[in-house]
């Protein structure tokens, strides 16, 4: 195996296994920052050994075993070790090496959910909570998180470092809260799961457009949340959104991994079981009454697509109205861009282009590749092919995803 191939393979394995690895270590050492350091140590060892020895049959177990050994070594070196022995001698229930082995060899269970709630503790700012959890659970780089929030990368890096130090200094417990404490942290947890799913659904960077493992993990966590917080409408709204979006997995990429846009997908191949589950969750969210929250509104938009058996039957007028409602509940430049697309589909590309041009001055969209991509699409529909080609080329230069770049360059050529 070449070094470059081994590096790409290890990177893919790390993205899949890192969250469970960190969660298991955090349960053991009760320190999120230390858990990530131990996991990174295991990754470094893998980067040294695997290109020579080959990828193990069960790379996740290999990483876990290596990290466990590092954790035990850390406990042995720690000055707290002697204190723990003294407390054990007095009958306190603290960790021994046998406890460590049991913790690491047993079922992971809901450690990932506990890790999310720990990372979303009220001692952290909302921005720090989301950044830290995406880093630990989503396996996202600081660059990917920065692009998701449209903020500078150093800002995200500082948030993550400070968040880990704060959790350690405040001795935050590794647990999933209940009652009022659950409600306090729920909004941040929902946002993290939502962003995790989005990164899996349309990867910010890399060679693949879809990262289904990340999506499925986000959906699993959402379903667990719906069981422990059944009285929260937005939990059901988020689950509905993820179920409906997940129904399109098998049609979002072609046989070669190339992206297939929504309007070009074979809807007969959508997963209708997931659509039914999503619509049922949406009904549960709506049953609470009152104003719909952002996740329920987005699920309602996704339901419009799911219920259109052919693309031509999509109710774009309703989708445009739902985006209008979403812009009031959760105003953002990206929501406005999506609303412009819906208006273009409902009332014609000229109307949509006018809105898109107004968004061009938004600082948050200055490096957002979908702005020139949408502009290019609307210009092409209006017969302005040369301008459209230029916009698609700009969009291709801004995206960090290889599949997305190829798609945009292909669209640029089609304008030729």
């Amino acid at each position: 195996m070449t070094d470059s191939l081994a590096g790409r393979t290890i990177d893919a394995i790390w993205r899949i296994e890192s969250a469970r690895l960190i969660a298991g270590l955090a349960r053991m050492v009760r320190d999120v920052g230390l858990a990530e350091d131990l996991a990174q140590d295991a990754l470094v060892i893998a980067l040294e050994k695997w290109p020579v020895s080959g990828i193990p049959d069960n790379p996740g177990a290999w990483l876990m075993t290596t990290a466990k050994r590092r954790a035990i070594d850390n406990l042995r070196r720690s000055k707290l070790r002697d204190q723990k022995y003294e407390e054990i001698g007095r009958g306190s229930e603290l960790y021994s090496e046998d406890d460590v082995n049991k913790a690491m060899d047993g079922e992971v269970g809901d450690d990932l959910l506990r890790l999310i709630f720990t990372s979303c503790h009220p001692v952290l700012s909302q921005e720090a909570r989301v950044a830290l959890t995406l880093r630990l659970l989503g396996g996202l780089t600081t660059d990917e998180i920065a692009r998701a929030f449209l903020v500078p990368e150093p800002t995200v890096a500082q948030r993550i470092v400070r968040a880990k130090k704060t959790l350690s200094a405040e001795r935050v417990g590794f647990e999933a809260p209940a009652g009022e404490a659950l409600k306090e942290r729920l909004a941040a947890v929902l946002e993290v799961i939502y962003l995790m799913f989005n990164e899996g659904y349309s990867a910010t960077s890399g060679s693949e457009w879809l990262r289904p493992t990340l999506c499925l993990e986000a959906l699993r966590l959402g379903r667990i949340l719906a069981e422990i917080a059944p009285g929260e409408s937005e939990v059901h709204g988020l689950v509905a959104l993820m179920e409906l979006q997940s129904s399109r997995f098998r049609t979002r990429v072609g046989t070669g991994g190339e992206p297939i846009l929504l309007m070009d997908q074979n809807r007969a191949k959508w997963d209708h079981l997931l659509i039914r589950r999503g619509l049922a969750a949406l009904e549960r969210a709506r049953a609470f009454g009152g104003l719909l929250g952002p996740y329920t509104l987005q699920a309602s938009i996704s339901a419009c697509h799911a219920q259109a058996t052919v693309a031509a039957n999509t109710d774009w007028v309703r989708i445009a109205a739902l985006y209008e409602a979403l812009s009031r509940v959760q105003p953002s430049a990206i929501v406005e861009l999506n609303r412009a697309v819906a208006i273009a589909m409902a009332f014609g590309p000229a109307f949509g282009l006018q809105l898109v041009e107004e968004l061009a001055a938004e600082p948050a969209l200055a490096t957002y590749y979908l702005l020139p991509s949408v502009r290019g699409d609307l210009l092409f529909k209006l017969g302005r092919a040369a301008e459209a080609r230029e916009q698609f080329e700009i969009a291709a230069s801004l995206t960090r995803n290889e599949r997305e770049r190829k798609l945009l360059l292909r669209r640029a050529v089609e304008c030729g």
Side-chain angles (χ1 to χ4, degrees):
M1 179 182 293
T2 64
D3 287 348
S4 61
L5 177 58
R8 290 196 300 272
T9 303
I10 294 170
D11 179 64
I13 291 169
W14 175 253
R15 285 182 179 269
I16 294 170
E17 301 291 346
S18 61
R20 294 180 182 276
L21 185 61
I22 293 169
L25 289 164
R27 173 159 52 94
M28 183 181 73
V29 300
R30 303 287 168 171
D31 185 314
V32 170
L34 176 58
E36 187 184 19
D37 289 342
L38 292 168
Q40 290 285 348
D41 287 346
L43 174 63
V44 169
I45 295 171
L47 287 168
E48 292 172 351
K49 292 189 174 182
W50 290 0
V52 178
S53 63
I55 306 296
D57 292 337
N58 190 337
W62 190 99
L63 287 168
M64 187 68 85
T65 300
T66 302
K68 178 179 68 175
R69 289 171 182 160
R70 301 288 291 186
I72 292 172
D73 289 343
N74 180 272
L75 283 174
R76 283 174 176 156
R77 290 193 302 267
S78 173
K79 292 180 180 179
L80 293 176
R81 185 68 174 183
D82 292 337
Q83 296 175 18
K84 289 187 177 183
Y85 274 131
E86 291 177 11
E87 291 185 39
I88 290 171
R90 293 196 296 268
S92 298
E93 294 183 0
L94 294 175
Y95 279 103
S96 65
E97 284 183 23
D98 286 341
D99 296 324
V100 168
N101 289 327
K102 291 175 183 177
M104 297 301 293
D105 293 336
E107 291 293 323
V108 171
D110 295 333
D111 281 350
L112 293 174
L113 196 63
R114 293 189 187 97
L115 182 56
I116 286 183
F117 276 105
T118 301
S119 302
C120 293
H121 197 278
V123 298
L124 304 177
S125 68
Q126 177 76 353
E127 294 83 2
R129 296 176 203 174
V130 175
L132 178 62
T133 313
L134 285 175
R135 178 77 180 89
L136 296 179
L137 280 105
L140 276 63
T141 64
T142 52
D143 175 53
E144 289 169 339
I145 298 169
R147 292 176 69 83
F149 284 100
L150 305 179
V151 296
E153 184 178 353
T155 301
V156 172
Q158 289 173 4
R159 288 175 185 172
I160 292 171
V161 170
R162 289 171 183 165
K164 289 190 288 189
K165 288 181 178 177
T166 301
L167 289 177
S168 179
E170 297 291 333
R171 298 184 181 275
V172 171
F174 185 68
E175 59 188 9
E180 289 302 314
L182 173 64
K183 291 183 179 181
E184 276 184 7
R185 297 192 226 173
L186 195 56
V189 171
L190 290 176
E191 184 176 3
V192 167
I193 293 175
Y194 171 74
L195 291 171
M196 185 189 303
F197 184 89
N198 280 355
E199 177 60 27
Y201 195 72
S202 183
T204 305
S205 61
S207 59
E208 300 301 327
W209 197 39
L210 185 66
R211 293 167 61 186
T213 302
L214 202 53
C215 289
L216 294 174
E217 192 56 55
L219 181 54
R220 187 188 77 85
L221 293 170
R223 288 170 177 168
I224 293 173
L225 270 183
E227 292 178 5
I228 66 175
E232 299 292 332
S233 63
E234 277 292 80
V235 174
H236 299 292
L238 179 56
V239 171
L241 175 62
M242 294 190 294
E243 299 274 15
L244 291 168
Q245 297 289 85
S246 297
S247 70
R248 307 176 198 161
F249 277 170
R250 70 184 70 169
T251 63
R252 292 199 77 238
V253 293
T255 54
E258 68 279 5
I260 301 177
L261 300 178
L262 176 62
M263 302 302 284
D264 299 326
Q265 292 171 16
N266 182 350
R267 299 183 178 218
K269 293 184 178 180
W270 284 359
D271 191 323
H272 293 280
L273 173 60
L274 286 175
I275 290 174
R276 289 194 295 272
R277 289 179 63 112
L279 294 176
L282 180 57
E283 285 304 309
R284 286 193 291 274
R286 288 173 172 168
F288 288 89
L291 293 175
L292 300 182
Y295 301 119
T296 304
L297 284 168
Q298 289 178 75
S300 300
I301 292 168
S302 189
C304 290
H305 294 295
Q307 292 169 319
T309 54
V310 293
N313 292 342
T314 305
D315 190 348
W316 285 106
V317 174
R318 174 167 169 73
I319 290 175
L322 287 166
Y323 271 120
E324 173 67 26
L326 181 60
S327 70
R328 295 176 183 175
V329 173
Q330 194 177 61
S332 79
I334 294 176
V335 171
E336 289 299 324
L337 182 60
N338 286 325
R339 186 171 75 90
V341 172
I343 287 175
M345 297 298 292
F347 305 109
F351 292 98
L353 183 60
Q354 181 179 349
L355 295 175
V356 170
E357 297 294 1
E358 293 172 2
L359 291 170
E362 284 286 340
L365 298 180
T367 59
Y368 189 52
Y369 77 96
L370 283 179
L371 177 64
S373 174
V374 169
R375 186 190 281 145
D377 185 62
L378 297 177
L379 287 167
F380 183 75
K381 289 177 179 177
L382 290 168
R384 296 159 62 178
E387 295 172 80
R389 176 171 184 154
E390 180 183 4
Q391 292 301 310
F392 284 130
E393 289 173 346
I394 292 172
S397 71
L398 291 175
T399 183
R400 300 286 297 277
N401 185 281
E402 294 175 23
R403 300 287 185 180
E404 192 90 51
R405 183 181 297 110
K406 289 179 181 178
L407 170 65
L408 290 164
L409 290 174
R410 188 175 76 241
R411 297 201 69 189
V413 171
E414 290 169 356
C415 295

